[in-house]
Amino acid sequence: MHLLDTSPDRIRAKEIQAVQMHAQQLVDWARQHGLVVTITLKPQPPLAMGNYLPVIDIREAHRGS
């Protein structure tokens, strides 16, 4: 692969990697502050592929005994 590769697939891969990095940073930050982050997908009518909304839930982490 050429270092200046600007193909759509290569750009999309960088975007995906950036989102994954930010999500991991959020999870790590939340854990340090005693929180748990959950991101799920909620299907929306009509139930067709790709028709969903992301749902973000944040709660207190369970304390071990």
Side-chain angles (χ1 to χ4, degrees):
M1 177 182 337
H2 190 271
L3 289 177
L4 299 177
D5 184 0
T6 57
S7 68
D9 289 342
R10 177 73 175 139
I11 292 170
R12 197 63 175 167
K14 285 184 177 184
E15 290 172 346
I16 291 169
Q17 185 178 23
V19 170
Q20 288 173 329
M21 180 189 68
H22 289 297
Q24 186 62 55
Q25 289 172 341
L26 173 62
V27 167
D28 293 343
W29 186 91
R31 183 178 296 132
Q32 291 171 0
H33 291 86
L35 302 169
V36 175
V37 176
T38 305
I39 302 173
T40 57
L41 298 176
K42 180 180 178 185
Q44 297 293 299
L47 298 176
M49 191 166 182
N51 196 16
Y52 57 84
L53 292 175
V55 177
I56 301 168
D57 181 59
I58 301 171
R59 65 168 175 80
E60 293 280 337
H62 296 292
R63 303 285 180 203
S65 50

